[in-house]
Amino acid sequence: MNGIRASDRDREEVLVRLEAAAGEGRLTLVEFEDRSGQVYVAKTYGELDALVADLPSAHGDKATVLDRRGLALSLLALAGGVVWMPLFPYLDFGALPGAAGVVFGLLGLRANAHLFCRVLALLGLAGGSVGVALQVVWIIFQLVEG
């Protein structure tokens, strides 16, 4: 498995671990900068694993906090993606909740690897996109009739 090519997401996860370690005082600034630079040129899991081999596992409290943040972003996406539906007739600018669904949906997809959270974020993204599209159509309709 050490010879398998790493993805950009894998590199980002290693960077998060390095940032946490530097924040905890486990790495000096020089060590952090050196290892961070090596993350960007690493091509395999083995190269990435070597950069964090002397650090505690990522399966502690820090990983739970990141998962909760991703879940929160996904739930915000879902709320923004569907809240515009019942409020659309009453809002002057109904695209605002839809835009929030799109933004939080993109952030939720990026922040979380769990399927459940990704589905929530995707639903929020889709619902928000529909909300923004309907607002644009409504504005065009008003301009053409006005």
Side-chain angles (χ1 to χ4, degrees):
M1 178 159 172
N2 286 341
I4 295 176
R5 293 186 72 88
S7 69
D8 288 339
R9 184 171 182 96
D10 297 323
R11 289 181 194 87
E12 289 175 14
E13 289 173 6
V14 171
L15 280 173
V16 167
R17 284 187 64 191
L18 291 173
E19 288 171 358
E24 295 168 351
R26 297 179 192 277
L27 296 175
T28 66
L29 183 58
V30 173
E31 289 172 319
F32 171 72
E33 290 174 353
D34 181 50
R35 291 184 192 200
S36 295
Q38 292 178 42
V39 165
Y40 292 110
V41 297
K43 293 183 181 174
T44 65
Y45 283 130
E47 293 172 19
L48 290 176
D49 289 344
L51 297 173
V52 293
D54 61 340
L55 300 175
S57 172
H59 300 295
D61 292 334
K62 297 284 183 196
T64 305
V65 171
L66 291 176
D67 289 344
R68 288 183 185 156
R69 183 185 61 128
L71 177 61
L73 288 170
S74 297
L75 289 172
L76 286 170
L78 186 62
V82 298
V83 76
W84 65 268
M85 292 177 195
L87 298 177
F88 187 75
Y90 307 105
L91 296 174
D92 290 333
F93 190 68
L96 191 58
V102 170
V103 170
F104 286 124
L106 291 171
L107 292 172
L109 284 172
R110 182 176 171 98
N112 223 316
H114 299 302
L115 180 61
F116 176 73
C117 293
R118 292 180 69 79
V119 167
L120 291 179
L122 193 58
L123 288 172
L125 178 63
S129 298
V130 170
V132 170
L134 286 176
Q135 184 67 38
V136 169
V137 169
W138 178 257
I139 290 170
I140 291 171
F141 181 73
Q142 293 298 319
L143 291 174
V144 169
E145 278 206 352

